[in-house]
Amino acid sequence: MKVSSLFRWGHFFLLLCLFPAESKKSPAGKHSCRKGLLSQVTENLYVKATSLKSSVPRDLIKNTRLLKKNTKMLFMTNCSVRDQLLSFYVKNVFSHLGARSEKLYVISAFQVLQANMSACHPCAPSTRVSSAVKNLKKTFLKLGEKGIHKAIHELDILLPWIQAYIQTIV
């Protein structure tokens, strides 16, 4: 039990050590795109997502999806949708979990992903929520607490999207 806990905290501190390096700016004053870090953070998220999924009730709602196919296309092509979707997970999903090391890791990892994706492909911040994210939030709220469980179980959908997007970064 202690070894498992130490292992989890070790991963958490390793990621935290990577964050300060990421916040450094290039000589031009802009954040630099670090595709390798994006890939590494995403791979570590797969492990943490598995742990999170095992800590929440199973998703028994099979006829409803939060992350739809059309949202994937928007995620791949629209930086505002990417940012809004990652923010949705941090603010609306993970914020409802108890204090767990997995929660802290996942929130930090999503924030690193957001910052680095923006550094790789900057876009103007949008105050207008996309219709895809608006519909996702509406469905999420309608499901109540089960929406949190569904969103966590749909990390199996979101993480491959993130990986696929990272592969498009040159």
Side-chain angles (χ1 to χ4, degrees), residues 18 86 126-127:
L18 292 173
L86 294 175
S126 174
T127 56

Side-chain angles (χ1 to χ4, degrees), residues 35 38-40 42-44 46 75-76 113 117 157-169:
K35 185 178 176 180
L38 287 171
S39 295
Q40 183 179 6
T42 305
E43 287 175 25
N44 291 337
Y46 275 102
F75 182 88
M76 296 299 286
L113 287 172
M117 286 179 179
I157 297 169
L158 181 60
L159 292 176
W161 291 4
I162 293 170
Q163 259 188 332
Y165 174 74
I166 291 169
Q167 295 307 313
T168 67
I169 299 172

Side-chain angles (χ1 to χ4, degrees), residues 31-35 38 115-122 165 169-170:
H31 289 279
S32 61
C33 176
R34 297 188 50 199
K35 185 178 176 180
L38 287 171
N116 280 284
M117 286 179 179
S118 294
C120 293
H121 290 286
Y165 174 74
I169 299 172
V170 179

Side-chain angles (χ1 to χ4, degrees), residues 94-155:
F94 303 136
S95 65
H96 292 289
L97 299 175
R100 302 178 182 135
S101 63
E102 291 91 3
K103 172 191 171 183
L104 297 174
Y105 179 92
V106 172
I107 288 173
S108 297
F110 267 64
Q111 291 169 336
V112 166
L113 287 172
Q114 271 184 297
N116 280 284
M117 286 179 179
S118 294
C120 293
H121 290 286
C123 70
S126 174
T127 56
R128 192 173 149 251
V129 178
S130 74
S131 61
V133 175
K134 196 180 290 186
N135 290 336
L136 177 141
K137 285 182 178 181
K138 184 178 172 184
T139 304
F140 174 81
L141 291 172
K142 195 182 300 183
L143 294 173
E145 189 173 330
K146 291 179 183 179
I148 296 166
H149 306 152
K150 177 162 264 323
I152 290 171
H153 284 277
E154 287 192 9
L155 284 170

